[in-house]
Amino acid sequence: MEEKLEHISGDISTLTDKITALETAMETEDTSFLKSYNNIKERAQCTLQDPELLSGALIDVAKHLGNLTFRVWEKMLGMVQYTPVMMDPNTAHAYLSLSDDLTTVRHTGTAQNCPDNPERFYYYVFVLGSEGFTSGKHSWEVKVGNKRQWDVGVVKESINRKGDITYSPEDGPWLIRLRNGDKYSAVGGTDLTLKRKPQSIRVQLDYDRGEVSFFNSSDMSLIYTFKHTFTERVFPFFSPCLRDGGRNDEPLTICPVKVSVTVTSSQ
């Protein structure tokens, strides 16, 4: 670029000199101008090389503007997160605090000023997912970390929100839980022995087949499966449980899933 600018500056300087010389000659008397016309004409000749248009000199418009909105959206995938399940703050017990994005719940130990609406749990420190299911397959992962107590699973829409709950494999809730940091069980009385302490639990609901399965997310090893014929809407369920001597303050968090884009050509 610098070389081309130097050449252009040289051409401009040459043209300027010739124009000045011609203007000076034209200011002389007519007779003198005509006598020296041929010499002036020869001096006025100036041949400039046309600019060379190199390959790649132009901006690749198609590269930058083609499918622009799609490419912007594709790049945004690395910046956004998607969680398949959200928590419903209208169901959360007064002792529970939810994050702004409704993916994390923590036991605060202090009752918040919440309206006693019909959907809200009053007796147990529970919170439900925002969306219920009446068909299909659904899955989500819950990060439990090093919490010493937690409950995770699925419950019926008609679960008692204001009083005591009877637990059974037949009527639910269909949960697995951890107590005292090392005692796992499937709600209904079945003790579970895990080879390793899971940091996150994957919940898989197959409503039509009547199955709720729990896996250790790290290796997808099966922890337990409930079998039941569902007859009403069911909701994801979460409980960070009671505080355990100040050691149970960690939250439960719904893990985001990876979002991908697949482009298929039309046939």
Side-chain angles (χ1 to χ4, degrees):
M1 183 66 75
E2 291 178 353
E3 290 178 358
K4 291 185 180 298
L5 287 175
E6 289 180 3
H7 292 158
I8 292 173
S9 297
D11 291 341
I12 292 174
S13 178
T14 300
L15 287 173
T16 301
D17 292 342
K18 291 183 180 296
I19 290 171
T20 302
L22 288 172
E23 289 177 342
T24 301
M26 291 174 66
E27 291 176 356
T28 62
E29 295 180 359
D30 294 343
T31 303
S32 299
F33 179 80
L34 291 175
K35 287 182 177 180
S36 60
Y37 172 76
N38 289 333
N39 185 34
I40 293 173
K41 180 180 179 182
E42 183 178 346
R43 289 165 55 193
Q45 297 299 317
C46 181
T47 302
L48 300 178
Q49 184 178 359
D50 291 335
E52 181 182 1
L53 189 60
L54 300 176
S55 176
L58 299 179
I59 294 176
D60 190 343
V61 178
K63 175 182 177 181
H64 294 285
L65 298 184
N67 293 316
L68 180 60
T69 54
F70 171 80
R71 296 186 183 280
V72 170
W73 176 63
E74 188 178 33
K75 288 184 178 295
M76 286 180 64
L77 292 178
M79 303 169 57
V80 300
Q81 289 187 334
Y82 170 76
T83 50
V85 170
M86 299 289 181
M87 298 178 188
D88 184 358
N90 293 335
T91 66
H93 187 276
Y95 275 70
L96 298 181
S97 174
L98 271 60
S99 61
D100 291 339
D101 62 0
L102 305 180
T103 62
T104 298
V105 58
R106 184 189 301 273
H107 193 300
T108 65
T110 303
Q112 303 176 76
N113 186 17
C114 302
D116 187 20
N117 50 298
E119 300 87 359
R120 190 178 307 280
F121 285 95
Y122 176 79
Y123 195 77
Y124 291 104
V125 284
F126 295 165
V127 62
L128 301 185
S130 60
E131 181 183 0
F133 308 112
T134 57
S135 64
K137 296 179 180 180
H138 311 273
S139 64
W140 57 95
E141 290 187 12
V142 184
K143 181 181 178 181
V144 296
N146 293 315
K147 287 179 63 62
R148 294 175 56 81
Q149 299 190 60
W150 47 259
D151 290 4
V152 172
V154 173
V155 299
K156 297 187 298 184
E157 184 175 23
S158 61
I159 186 173
N160 188 356
R161 314 286 177 105
K162 305 302 182 183
D164 199 6
I165 298 173
T166 301
Y167 295 87
S168 71
E170 294 77 22
D171 297 324
W174 300 278
L175 319 171
I176 62 171
R177 61 174 35 157
L178 171 65
R179 292 294 183 268
N180 301 322
D182 59 359
K183 295 182 179 179
Y184 296 91
S185 64
V187 172
T190 303
D191 292 333
L192 302 174
T193 301
L194 277 62
K195 294 182 179 180
R196 63 180 66 180
K197 182 180 179 67
Q199 292 293 300
S200 62
I201 301 294
R202 182 179 181 90
V203 184
Q204 289 190 178
L205 166 67
D206 188 332
Y207 189 98
D208 301 322
R209 294 184 61 181
E211 294 182 353
V212 182
S213 298
F214 300 86
F215 301 84
N216 184 337
S217 299
S218 63
D219 58 7
M220 287 304 293
S221 57
L222 178 64
I223 298 175
Y224 192 79
T225 297
F226 288 98
K227 294 183 180 294
H228 176 75
T229 300
F230 300 114
T231 58
E232 62 177 278
R233 188 181 302 272
V234 296
F235 285 82
F237 168 92
F238 314 90
S239 176
C241 301
L242 299 174
R243 286 170 167 244
D244 183 14
R247 295 173 294 177
N248 197 40
D249 293 337
E250 293 185 31
L252 289 178
T253 301
I254 303 171
C255 302
V257 298
K258 184 177 180 180
V259 182
S260 61
V261 177
T262 302
V263 180
T264 56
S265 59
S266 57
Q267 299 296 327

